[in-house]
Amino acid sequence: MKVFVPFRLDTLNQCLWRRRDTGPEERILLRPKSFLVLAYLVENAGRLVTHDELLEAVWSDSVVEPQAVKRHVLTVRSALGDRPKNPIFIETMPKRGYRFIAPVSAPVAAKCPEGAIGQARDLVGRGSAFEVLREMWRRVLNGERQVVFITGEPGIGKTALAEEFQRQVAVAERSVHIAHGQCIEGYGSKEPYGPMLDALGRLCRGPQGEPLVQILSAEAPTWLAQLPSLLTREHREMLHREILGATRERMLREIGDALESFTAETPLLLVFEDLHWVDDSTVDLISALARRRHPAKLMFLGTCRPLYTRSSPHPLGALMRDLVVRRFCREIALTSLNESEVEEYLGAQSPTSRPPQGLSAFVHRHSEGNPLFMVAALEHMAKRGLLSRVDGFWQLRGPLEQIEFEVPDDLRHLIEAQLEQLSAAEQRELEKASIVGAVFSERLIGCSEDIRSHNSEDLYEDLSRRHHIVKWAGTHSFPDGSTTERYEFAHVLYRQVLYDRQLPARRARLHRQVGERLAAMYERRIEDVVPELAYHFEQAGDWPRAIEFLQQAADLAVRRYAYRQAGAMLARALELVIHLPETGRIRTEPQLLATLAALRRETFDLRAIGTYDRMR
Ligand SMILES: Nc1ncnc2c1ncn2[C@@H]1O[C@H](COP(=O)(O)OP(=O)(O)OP(=O)(O)O)[C@@H](O)[C@H]1O
Ligand SMILES: [Mg+2]
């Protein structure tokens, strides 16, 4: 028996358990080979285990590709909630193997320091932000719900802070749920309650999913009905009868109740990323969750860029102001790093030696204290050989005044320069990945022949290790049961630069390919990807399919009582109708107008009158 908090590895019965504060331990399911990989790494904790050694230990009876080892390690990491960057359990030693780095002990000795959230790793200048978060978390453990928004400019470190806080919470608590929802940029891809359904879906499919599905079934059937992949056909039909005539208010009330039951004992940290792209329904949801006064061990943490928009006020802006005034939420507004914080960062990069004279001032001036810019500038200097750390000692190639000319002083150009360091094939594949979105998998990209024979997953894994451009984002299952590794851009700006530099015709062609692949893979669960399909086909200029999927997305929104969003999607479809040939337009336009008019009439929207007029 081995323990690495909060897990217990029962080697005799080949089970992995995760501890909880109360109630029984939860069992984490692992396939036999994945279990053996984990057991071997834990058995040899602290030392490098090479690929060959793992192959020999786990597959001595059969011949397998070295690739299998990597796949099983990824599965294990995903089960432990670990990540290749900043791992707390399994560290990858590039080109050599793996090392289990968490302290391992016998069960009696394993006592978790509850609530003792440790120090931030790698991040500088965020001490007071962590203080606020830790204080809020202490309140959560006492049953006081907390809502916090981390705000600031792109690249200021919102995601880094949120991720580090999640890591600390996961390490400190014996039993905690952490759920993650992502807001997506772009018009058609905005799905009502997208981030919440994303988070619920992952929780329900996770090792602790069953109790949550039961709570949703009893207290939030309107939500369970939105997660069809978790239900049998009979259950789905029964639910649909049960929720007939439900309303938006009922949906909000139900999720509030369900989350209170779910967090009565085990705390939940609910993280929504990039709220500047939030959909209207999710704004209502955050508002409802923040205003409820019933006890809940619930912390909602949202990250958000500044909300000024040129045209209309952002719906979240008004909500945040109101919640702050009523003290229903806190805002942590991140600011740029100062010169001594940049110096601290450089110091942490090479603790054995001081950074060269003037380097922190140079980096600070150049990046204006923006961490993303700072990291990118240092990587650029390192890759160009302008700056190096040999045996822990910093070395500058020449005087800083000269180097100044070689480091672009605008983030976009700097990113361009970083990309130029990659091979032509790597750049081409990354450009394709940028079409898929901020998160992508090789299966959706469809790599070119030369890369495919080399293995494209290797390419992304290699890129994620060598450069600060993409990072591993977990293992993902497709409806047909196959799995794939997902990667994400280290920052949206990388995606943006790669996307923008492609010619429109190429982008359109690739969007169509991605849309077709996605539709084929999700043939049986098309609902899961309808908004994404609408986006890809619109970008492809494939108007019939874009309109078709916008209509389906509007249907989906209606089923979630998100009438405003459904109306917006239909209105968008109507704008696209103009691109259809005459015959198609004559058929489609009246249909769309009729649906939109009916929707507006249902919601007492006076624009219904005008819509009916257009139909005549
Ligand atoms: N305090 C910090 N110390 C050191 N590095 C940091 C710090 N904050 C962020 N970074 C690094 O800067 C980069 C950008 O940070 P991050 O992605 O968190 O920005 P962001 O605010 O979430 O941006 P966006 O608004 O685009 O989502 C990351 O590589 C991250 O590791
Ligand atoms: Mg971010």
Side-chain angles (χ1 to χ4, degrees):
M1 190 86 69
K2 298 276 180 194
V3 169
F4 44 100
V5 180
F7 297 97
R8 179 169 67 88
L9 192 75
D10 177 353
T11 37
L12 202 61
N13 300 301
Q14 300 215 338
C15 301
L16 175 66
W17 299 89
R18 189 188 164 111
R19 289 233 219 101
R20 292 152 46 109
D21 270 343
T22 52
E25 284 178 309
E26 65 178 281
R27 176 155 175 207
I28 314 271
L29 291 176
L30 278 178
R31 279 181 293 166
K33 287 292 185 206
S34 301
F35 182 88
L36 290 178
V37 166
L38 173 63
Y40 192 80
L41 289 174
V42 171
E43 196 60 43
N44 295 282
R47 76 162 176 85
L48 165 71
V49 173
T50 63
H51 293 117
D52 288 347
E53 188 181 343
L54 256 184
L55 271 177
E56 177 59 30
V58 180
W59 284 272
S60 53
D61 53 347
S62 53
V63 181
V64 289
E65 289 183 15
Q67 199 58 24
V69 177
K70 200 155 57 178
R71 235 179 271 290
H72 284 280
V73 170
L74 287 175
T75 309
V76 170
R77 270 192 175 132
S78 169
L80 301 177
D82 209 6
R83 303 183 62 114
K85 195 183 158 206
N86 282 346
I88 48 177
F89 296 110
I90 299 173
E91 181 183 52
T92 304
M93 316 276 288
K95 304 236 176 284
R96 284 167 292 164
Y98 305 95
R99 198 162 68 96
F100 195 86
I101 49 174
V104 178
S105 58
V108 248
K111 186 92 181 83
C112 170
E114 265 164 75
I117 297 184
Q119 284 307 301
R121 303 194 312 186
D122 297 341
L123 300 189
V124 295
R126 299 298 179 229
S128 53
F130 276 114
E131 269 315 307
V132 174
L133 291 171
R134 285 182 199 132
E135 166 58 22
M136 295 182 86
W137 187 250
R138 278 193 285 274
R139 287 170 185 265
V140 167
L141 296 181
N142 285 331
E144 241 181 275
R145 74 179 63 215
Q146 301 289 311
V147 173
V148 58
F149 296 98
I150 300 174
T151 59
E153 300 293 332
I156 202 73
K158 303 178 290 297
T159 300
L161 177 64
E163 281 187 353
E164 176 58 21
F165 180 61
Q166 289 170 68
R167 192 190 70 80
Q168 293 184 12
V169 165
V171 171
E173 299 302 332
R174 277 194 198 161
S175 180
V176 61
H177 296 296
I178 300 180
H180 197 263
Q182 176 70 48
C183 301
I184 312 234
E185 184 182 13
Y187 184 82
S189 45
K190 277 202 179 111
E191 192 188 344
Y193 303 116
M196 188 71 218
L197 289 165
D198 199 14
L200 281 180
R202 272 186 239 183
L203 277 175
C204 287
R205 279 187 283 273
Q208 265 264 298
E210 198 40 47
L212 179 58
V213 173
Q214 277 169 15
I215 290 175
L216 292 177
S217 177
E219 302 185 39
T222 52
W223 286 81
L224 193 55
Q226 311 299 336
L227 297 162
S229 60
L230 296 171
L231 305 170
T232 59
R233 217 186 61 205
E234 294 77 38
H235 196 174
R236 208 157 45 217
E237 282 165 6
M238 198 186 79
L239 266 181
H240 280 300
R241 278 196 300 279
E242 195 181 326
I243 63 173
L244 217 63
T247 57
R248 171 186 155 278
E249 288 69 27
R250 173 171 161 192
M251 259 192 109
L252 293 176
R253 196 178 55 246
E254 283 189 359
I255 192 66
D257 290 344
L259 285 180
E260 275 153 26
S261 299
F262 187 58
T263 58
E265 286 178 2
T266 307
L268 167 66
L269 172 58
L270 184 60
V271 181
F272 283 6
E273 272 265 38
D274 298 326
L275 287 170
H276 41 276
W277 292 319
V278 73
D279 64 283
D280 291 356
S281 306
T282 303
V283 174
D284 294 344
L285 170 78
I286 298 170
S287 169
L289 290 182
R291 290 174 206 276
R292 285 174 74 108
R293 294 296 92 201
H294 303 280
K297 290 186 181 172
L298 168 67
M299 179 154 172
F300 173 84
L301 186 160
T303 67
C304 187
R305 292 187 189 161
L307 293 173
Y308 36 71
T309 48
R310 261 162 271 135
S311 46
S312 55
H314 196 291
L316 187 69
L319 172 67
M320 261 165 69
R321 278 192 300 278
D322 189 50
L323 293 179
V324 168
V325 169
R326 290 168 200 274
R327 296 174 188 257
F328 287 162
C329 83
R330 304 270 305 253
E331 179 181 355
I332 298 178
L334 296 183
T335 50
S336 309
L337 303 177
N338 59 33
E339 193 182 316
S340 61
E341 287 159 350
V342 173
E343 172 125 17
E344 194 187 329
Y345 180 78
L346 292 172
Q349 296 297 300
S350 189
T352 46
S353 67
R354 281 182 64 78
Q357 182 75 20
L359 181 62
S360 36
F362 168 83
V363 174
H364 179 251
R365 193 175 60 248
H366 223 81
S367 64
E368 295 177 342
N370 179 297
L372 173 69
F373 203 161
M374 168 183 82
V375 172
L378 286 168
E379 155 137 349
H380 176 79
M381 288 164 75
K383 293 277 181 249
R384 293 283 298 271
L386 305 172
L387 174 70
S388 64
R389 273 174 293 154
V390 181
D391 299 330
F393 283 92
W394 293 93
Q395 277 176 9
L396 272 177
R397 200 187 67 186
L400 280 165
E401 301 75 54
Q402 209 175 318
I403 289 176
E404 180 115 36
F405 291 107
E406 302 200 37
V407 183
D409 55 7
D410 138 294
L411 192 47
R412 255 180 186 270
H413 288 116
L414 184 57
I415 288 176
E416 276 289 351
Q418 273 179 289
L419 294 171
E420 294 305 325
Q421 317 273 327
L422 306 180
S423 72
E426 287 170 332
Q427 292 187 43
R428 205 174 51 235
E429 293 311 313
L430 282 173
E431 282 174 1
K432 284 192 195 167
S434 76
I435 302 286
V436 178
V439 181
F440 58 89
S441 70
E442 169 272 323
R443 294 266 307 274
L444 283 177
I445 297 168
C447 291
S448 43
E449 265 317 314
D450 48 333
I451 297 286
R452 206 177 305 140
S453 57
H454 171 72
N455 188 336
S456 53
E457 262 176 20
D458 272 355
L459 175 119
Y460 293 114
E461 177 133 345
D462 196 37
L463 277 174
S464 69
R465 273 202 237 112
R466 281 193 297 125
H467 301 271
H468 176 80
I469 295 174
V470 293
K471 51 186 181 179
W472 183 68
T475 308
H476 177 72
S477 307
F478 287 110
D480 64 5
S482 62
T483 56
T484 181
E485 301 317 324
R486 292 219 282 194
Y487 293 85
E488 63 187 313
F489 288 100
H491 194 271
V492 280
L493 261 177
Y494 286 91
R495 182 196 172 211
Q496 202 62 54
V497 169
L498 284 155
Y499 189 88
D500 291 348
R501 68 190 203 166
Q502 298 176 69
L503 291 173
R506 178 173 194 250
R507 283 202 300 243
R509 183 170 48 77
L510 292 173
H511 271 294
R512 181 191 295 266
Q513 274 177 19
V514 172
E516 284 170 353
R517 276 208 181 89
L518 196 62
M521 274 179 205
Y522 281 82
E523 201 184 355
R524 286 201 217 117
R525 277 202 350 232
I526 204 87
E527 269 202 352
D528 290 6
V529 289
V530 157
E532 263 178 84
L533 289 172
Y535 164 73
H536 284 300
F537 287 120
E538 184 175 339
Q539 301 307 313
D542 184 335
W543 313 116
R545 282 197 277 191
I547 293 170
E548 164 65 28
F549 285 115
L550 276 169
Q551 276 177 299
Q552 291 193 31
D555 280 353
L556 193 74
V558 168
R559 271 179 273 145
R560 290 179 192 164
Y561 320 101
Y563 299 118
R564 237 177 321 162
Q565 267 172 276
M569 284 167 186
L570 290 171
R572 179 71 188 147
L574 271 168
E575 282 168 21
L576 302 186
V577 157
I578 196 162
H579 300 292
L580 293 180
E582 184 75 14
T583 45
R585 205 167 66 224
I586 292 171
R587 203 178 49 244
T588 314
E589 195 168 11
Q591 268 176 18
L592 284 169
L593 282 167
T595 321
L596 185 60
L599 185 75
R600 287 179 171 168
R601 195 190 55 215
E602 280 290 301
T603 52
F604 307 106
D605 185 334
L606 289 177
R607 283 175 302 171
I609 304 165
T611 317
Y612 279 120
D613 283 348
R614 252 183 93 183
M615 286 168 67
R616 293 206 191 102

